[in-house]
Amino acid sequence: YSIFSIKALEDVWFLYLESIEEEYMIMGFYKQTLSKINRGGFWDMIVIDGVVGVGKSTLMNILAEKGYMRFEEPVVDNPILEKFYYDRERYSFSLQIFFLNKRFKHIKEASQEKNAVMDRSIYGDVIFAKMLHDAGEMCKEEFDLYAELFENMIEHCKAPKLLVYLETSVDAAMAKINKRGREYEKVV
C-alpha cells in the first residue's frame, strides 16, 4: 500500500483534491464541489478510500483493533449493488443515491464518536457519480440532481482529521476481488 503522509490537516484536502485531479483528469468539478465542505474545524475520524479490492476494510479492521470505532461501507445490505453490476445504466442513479444517503448517515454518526474510522465516506462519493455520468451510464438530469443533493449534504460535513488513500495495481485488486468471492464484483 502507499499512504500519503500529512503534516497539517489543511494539507489533507489539497492532497486529496490533487490526487483526484490527477487520477480522473477532471479538475474544476471536484474542487468546486468539495469546496463546499464546512471549514469550521475537523471531525475526529479517519477516512480510508481507494479502489475496490485495495484493502480498505483490512486497514479499517486493524485500526478497530487499536480502539477505533468502525463504520463500514454499506455493501452487505445493499439491495441495489448486485443489480447495478449487471445493468449499470438502469441502476447507476439509484445506487449512487443509496450510497450518498447511507454515507451521509454514517458521517453524522461517526462525527459524534471519538476515534471513528470509515471505509469510504461521503467525501469521495461524488467521484463515482461523476464517472458514471461521464461514461454515459447516468443521464445529465440524474447527475445534476445527485450533485445538488451532494452539495446540500456536504455543507453540513467537516473535514476528517485524516484521509488515507490506498493504491494498488489492477492485478492485485482483481486477485483480492476474486478471493473475496462476491460474484457481482467479478464483472468489474
Side-chain angles (χ1 to χ4, degrees):
Y1 303 117
S2 74
I3 302 174
F4 53 82
S5 58
I6 308 300
K7 291 181 182 175
L9 296 175
E10 286 288 329
D11 292 342
V12 171
W13 289 106
F14 292 115
L15 288 172
Y16 185 55
L17 291 173
E18 288 173 12
S19 171
I20 291 170
E21 289 170 358
E22 291 170 16
E23 193 163 338
Y24 298 106
M25 295 195 279
I26 303 168
M27 301 213 262
F29 175 78
Y30 296 114
K31 275 189 177 179
Q32 177 186 354
T33 304
L34 293 176
S35 72
K36 308 246 189 257
I37 293 171
N38 182 330
R39 298 292 182 181
F42 296 89
W43 280 337
D44 188 20
M45 66 181 68
I46 297 173
V47 172
I48 304 167
D49 217 326
V51 299
V52 174
V54 74
K56 297 178 299 294
S57 297
T58 301
L59 179 55
M60 181 181 64
N61 291 334
I62 291 168
L63 291 170
E65 290 174 8
K66 305 288 184 192
Y68 284 82
M69 178 175 247
R70 297 173 351 145
F71 287 85
E72 298 180 47
E73 184 178 20
V75 294
V76 176
D77 295 324
N78 184 329
I80 303 166
L81 187 59
E82 187 171 354
K83 294 174 184 176
F84 164 78
Y85 277 107
Y86 292 101
D87 190 351
R88 295 168 72 96
E89 279 188 45
R90 164 67 179 89
Y91 291 102
S92 64
F93 179 71
S94 54
L95 179 69
Q96 287 308 125
I97 294 298
F98 177 90
F99 276 133
L100 182 61
N101 185 49
K102 294 294 185 183
R103 288 177 178 145
F104 188 56
K105 180 181 178 188
H106 276 166
I107 202 82
K108 290 189 305 181
E109 292 170 357
S111 73
Q112 301 302 309
E113 302 294 333
K114 292 286 183 196
N115 295 323
V117 60
M118 300 186 77
D119 174 355
R120 289 214 198 269
S121 73
I122 194 170
Y123 306 109
D125 196 77
V126 70
I127 295 167
F128 296 101
K130 179 75 169 142
M131 287 174 30
L132 289 166
H133 173 259
D134 290 350
E137 295 171 334
M138 184 186 293
C139 72
K140 180 185 182 327
E141 293 79 11
E142 290 173 333
F143 179 72
D144 289 347
L145 179 59
Y146 169 89
E148 182 180 357
L149 184 57
F150 176 87
E151 287 181 9
N152 286 334
M153 290 176 166
I154 203 72
E155 289 175 350
H156 301 282
C157 299
K158 296 178 183 177
K161 70 178 176 184
L162 179 65
L163 186 142
V164 178
Y165 186 82
L166 301 178
E167 294 178 336
T168 190
S169 70
V170 172
D171 292 339
M174 292 306 295
K176 289 178 189 175
I177 288 169
N178 288 326
K179 183 178 178 183
R180 184 163 47 205
R182 293 180 188 152
E183 287 301 316
Y184 56 85
E185 286 183 341
K186 293 180 182 179
V187 300
V188 172

